[in-house]
Amino acid sequence: MTSSAVPGDTPDQQPGEGLRADAERNRCRILAAARSLYARAGLGVSMASIAREAGVGQATLSRRFPTKDALVAAVFAERMDAYAAAVTVALDDPDPWHGFTGYLHSVCAMQAADRGFADVLTRAFPAAKALEARRAEVYDGLLELIARAKNTGHLRDDFTHQDVVILLIANAGVVTATGDAAPDTWRRLVAHMIRSYAAPGAPIPPLPEAPPPTALYRAMVRLTRDTTV
């Protein structure tokens, strides 16, 4: 009798320590594959592609992670910890305006480093309770950070927490569109947005140079190819 199992795919019916070790190895392979694919291509990567990259069958992937939300939550647990730590660092800054601008730059840098995480910060995952709890924790800290920055007189009174979400959505789009062709473009976007948030007289960071026209053209060509495949 022949087996149709994918190499590296271990059925869950075998008892004993060997099963637990194999199951853990499969879980680690799935997480590594998902982390790599999401970082390069965002959350649009299919579960089937992740299973192939991990060298396991889709049944094994489904046993380890019954839903995509569960997989996303496991893959980005550490990233969400870093996301929460960023607002803590900002709140610890003795200069609330500097803490606020530093927070925006840090979070947008996280997006630029990982397309999957760029998507995570602009989507909701109701079934991933731990991930959403972390997001809620950051939200509470962000509200305090915004209030402190306004009290300095440097952040515009009409700025709201929704503006941070808008920035993250815009930055995710820039990161996706420019890719490796113009990888630092997001820095100029963030600098421009911080300038728009600043009240008159507020200290603002220098504006990074614009990407070369040739780099933006390459990004546009790549984006066109991606959307026509």
Side-chain angles (χ1 to χ4, degrees):
M1 181 175 178
T2 60
S3 171
S4 60
V6 174
D9 188 13
T10 303
D12 283 352
Q13 282 70 30
Q14 298 177 4
E17 293 293 332
L19 168 61
R20 287 191 286 273
D22 285 346
E24 181 58 23
R25 279 194 294 271
N26 285 340
R27 182 179 186 277
C28 290
R29 291 165 70 172
I30 291 166
L31 288 176
R35 191 173 291 116
S36 175
L37 290 175
Y38 286 156
R40 295 198 307 267
L43 297 187
V45 175
S46 69
M47 297 289 271
S49 295
I50 292 168
R52 285 195 300 272
E53 180 78 6
V56 303
Q58 291 192 55
T60 292
L61 174 58
S62 295
R63 282 192 294 270
R64 301 281 76 79
F65 301 100
T67 66
K68 186 166 185 175
D69 279 12
L71 178 58
V72 167
V75 168
F76 293 102
E78 291 185 4
R79 289 280 189 183
M80 289 302 291
D81 288 344
Y83 179 49
V87 79
T88 300
V89 169
L91 288 169
D92 287 341
D93 194 314
D95 180 345
W97 169 248
H98 182 266
F100 171 76
T101 59
Y103 167 79
L104 295 183
H105 192 277
S106 294
V107 174
C108 288
M110 292 179 193
Q111 287 187 301
D114 188 324
R115 281 185 60 183
F117 194 59
D119 290 342
V120 167
L121 292 186
T122 58
R123 302 184 189 182
F125 302 89
K129 302 301 183 184
L131 188 152
E132 290 302 318
R134 221 40 170 148
R135 194 195 305 274
E137 177 186 332
V138 173
Y139 172 76
D140 292 339
L142 178 60
L143 291 181
E144 183 178 353
L145 183 62
I146 290 171
R148 290 184 186 183
K150 285 185 177 181
N151 286 338
T152 67
H154 296 325
L155 180 61
R156 291 172 51 137
D157 286 336
D158 57 358
F159 183 90
T160 72
H161 67 274
Q162 293 98 316
D163 291 317
V164 176
V165 179
I166 293 170
L167 171 60
L168 295 179
I169 292 172
N171 192 55
V174 168
V175 168
T176 298
T178 55
D180 294 335
D184 289 328
T185 304
W186 67 274
R187 298 179 186 276
R188 190 169 174 88
L189 169 70
V190 174
H192 271 306
M193 296 309 296
I194 288 175
R195 287 172 174 235
S196 73
Y197 304 150
I204 53 176
L207 187 65
E209 290 186 8
T214 53
L216 283 181
Y217 183 76
R218 286 197 303 271
M220 294 166 64
V221 170
R222 187 186 63 80
L223 185 61
T224 301
R225 288 173 179 167
D226 287 348
T227 56
T228 56
V229 171

